[in-house]
Amino acid sequence: MKKTVSLIFILCLIVQMALAQKRSVSGVVRDKVTNDLLPGVTIVEKGTTNGTASNSKGEFQLSVNNNATLSVSYIGMSTQEVKIGASSTIEVFLESASEKVDEVVVTAMGIMRQTKALGYSVQDVKGEELVRVKEANLVNSLNGKIAGVNITNSGGAPGSSSQIIIRGGTSLLGDNQPLFVIDGVPIDNSTSSGNSGTDRVTATSTSSGNRAMDLNSADIESISVLKGPAAAALYGLKAAAGAVVITTKKGKQGVPQISVSSKMKLDAVSRLPEQQGLYGQGSGGTFNADTGESWGEKVTSGQPFYNNMKDFFQQAWAYDVNGSISGGTENANYFMSVQRLDQKGIVPTTDYVKNSFRFNGEQKRGWFTIGMNTNYIYSTTTKTLTGDGLYGTGGTGYMLSIINWPRTDNMANWSENGVKRRLLPGVALQDDIDNPNWLVRNNPVTEELHRFIGSGYVKVSPVKWLDVVYRAGVDHYNSFNQSITSPGAAMITPYDKGAVSEKLRQNDLLSSTLTASANQKINSFDLNLLVGHNYEQTTYSNNTQTAVGMLSPDFISINNAAAANKAFDSYKSQKRLTSVFGEFRVDYKNIAFLGVTGRNDWSSTLSPENRSFFYPSFNGSFVFTELLNERFRNVLSFGKLRASWSQVGKDAPVYQTATYLNSPVTTIGGGYNDSWTGGNPDLKPETTTAQEYGVDLRFLKGRLGVDLTYYTTTSDDQIIQPRVSNAIGYIFKYVNWGTVENKGYEITVNAVPIQTQNLKWDLNLNISHNDGKVYNLPTGLELLYVTDVQIGPAKPASVNNGDFLGLTGQKWQRTTDGQLILDPNTGYPLTSTDATKLVGNREPDIILGLNNNIAYKNWNLSFLIDIRKGGAVYNATEWAMIKTGLSKETEKRGENYTFEGVTLNSTTGAYEPKSSTVVLNENYYKNIYSAEASNFITDVNWFRLRTASLGYKLPDYVCKKIGFVKSIDVSIMATNLFIITNYKGMDPEVSAGGAGVVGAGSSGIDYAGVPATRSYSLGFNLKF
């Protein structure tokens, strides 16, 4: 008992002594040039996590240890270290620092680190950049701002998805998008898709949203993009494709700040495919009322001719209103926000509505800091089928109908006395073409989403060199999707009587992370150690019910169909991941930095003998300018070399280690069949090994900066499912086979061409190149196709010993030396049904983003130029219009054309030169021209003004006159103002299947998608 009392007494004495060494320091932070007070400046006691931020008046107060040194940092300014000494009040002046040598970025596990200490490439985007030209989908806000990042928007529909790929894909059949982390917890960024076997919705049927679009850009403080495995190593297998680390806003010490912003946006169609304007409905050169094709006779003067495509789309308004209140004291802070987004679509009846509510709070008390970050989102989306209709029903989406609708018929006349007007009344209903205006009003596809993202954390700092943090997070959402087909649709029976499908999806991602970090300075060395444990559980369920053939045409319901026409499908999966990890860092005199990480994961998706795997990483940097004398540093103010080597695993999707059974067989004998794909208990994780080398240079005291990076990644043991012999009981089998290799470079240039007291021009240039290749596929498997986007004569595919983002397709027959083989009877080129020829590579040669920000007094002009060189785009929309005679190319019908080639001499068996003049007729375009994939493929280049904004901050005296307003900002913004390109179709930034198509994806496939938009916005931002 005495020992216990003595121990308690000693502990209390230690705590009292520790507290006695603390004292309060207050101060103010100003801009050295303008003497303006700086709010939001970060003040941290060096060597600890103890910190605060200056309030709206530039003031701060912080309890620190005796003889402490404060690190004072602010965006765009040099970090200062201030020794307190005996002072209790200080005044700090910060200078502009374009070189950003001491800039702090958020890295893996939320660790704040100076960029000069990193042995790998990390780029970040600040919150003010995200809202300067605010996008409805957060992913689009990163376009052109990060080197090595390729973002593809799937179209101009409200609520449509955007895909983000960092340094090329690493998985042949898996998801190649990066991990998203918000406030320390992983979240889901998947894109929902249909199922051709249940609701009959395929990837090209309609647009769907990726879940990162649920986030509100106005809530975000910064986004750090961790590009390679070395940067994201601590996140493990889920970050094999990189990580996007999002930090949301916190309140700052001082008077509460209220902010209200509002934006009105007008969207209009940017580009449409060009159609022929000479020929009307029919076939064989004459009018035919029983076909919707446009191979009819030439339109005569005075005959009605309609611009159906242009007239169908509308201008659409969007309204985005945000409000927030934040504040705090020395020991507590809070941030609350609300958003309402109403976005109408350029397609009638379509829209996207989002409501977002956020609360972030933090409280410090002694050793303890507790906090929480919560976000609730409720959204609805209304759309309809776009390209292909429901699989196997014979129907089409509205966009496919538009591009094939004869221009001699007025598409706007779709209803007669409230009854659908048919284009082809003389044919069976299932052979007709539905009017797009009828489709969008009668066959809606809707989604209703409820989502909650939350995390809570406790940090314990018993001594200044030790922090222990526990964080728990949840990402829960459920969505209800409904697709309606109204009676009278041009589909096969019983779909022509009406149909409905309903899908309820639920996803729960639970995470738990415990970390302990320690740092000590020993002589000239700063040592840091981090150890941690992580547990994640993902539960997904999907319940789909369908009914076709409505018994009563006026009542669309699952209950309004015969029992034989109803179906129900239920699916549920659960995945667990347990991990331990660690990192050791050492810093020698702020000159040399070394980091080592290690992580071991245990994944439930693999067999017990293969589910444990360990992967390390090493990175280092050397600031060589610290060794140069002052004369050299006047020119080269900062120089750093860096290198890293890393390895990361990637486990299998759920339930691929076993072979499962299909539904019961009802034929003689009964029983069960194996599923089409055989499981493999010996599956191993995919393994990605990466190397990265870079140099970071700053010249002329930071006025010019250049960062160069070269990287290689090799991803082995790909998990694929090749076709196998049916004799073993199934068609496909999961195996580890194949390698994906990426090599590339990145160049980032930061410059300040002009800087005076009133004028500053900041320029940021990002250039990147990646070359993705595939090797070592199984013998006989030379191509891996992407499902759901196989349209016409070309298909996206990964090619063995070739391109990861390849295109294969049909080609006219040629000799071994490339001469065109002509049909000796007709003179036309001989076609081939072989669709395995390599016809293009969808990966761009160079991606370039040039960001400019010019500030003059109270004015601010910002614009982003986006340039892309190379990368094949397959125009399947043009292919569809060729088949129906609506392509601009088909205006050449009836003309003569001479082909130069060879023909086969049947007697000698040798090829002989041949010149053949033929007529470009309907048969030629439909069966010969359309069978040559290269006729629809363009190696695309573009120059685009992606975004532009002009803002003005009203003078302070105006706000003072109003009295209760601190600041008023007004801005005008625009996106996709113009594009110069050699592509003849719609916007060449396309992805026919959206972000949900895994593996090589569907980027570069243009097929009956919603046209991209050009938008103009007016915004206001008031602070109180």
Side-chain angles (χ1 to χ4, degrees), residues 29 38-44 52-54 70-82 92 94-95 102-105 112 114 126 252:
V29 187
L38 297 177
V41 176
T42 301
I43 302 99
V44 178
T52 187
S54 60
L70 298 183
S71 176
V72 185
S73 60
Y74 190 64
I75 297 170
M77 295 195 167
S78 294
T79 299
Q80 275 203 36
E81 292 188 355
V82 182
V92 182
L94 296 182
E95 296 182 89
D102 297 321
E103 183 184 16
V104 176
V105 294
M112 303 287 292
Q114 290 183 324
K126 304 301 181 186
K252 296 177 174 59

Side-chain angles (χ1 to χ4, degrees), residues 393-395 422 427-433 488-494 496:
T393 66
R422 292 181 57 187
V427 303
L429 180 61
Q430 69 183 46
D431 297 323
D432 201 354
I433 302 172
M491 294 182 179
I492 62 174
T493 302
D496 60 341

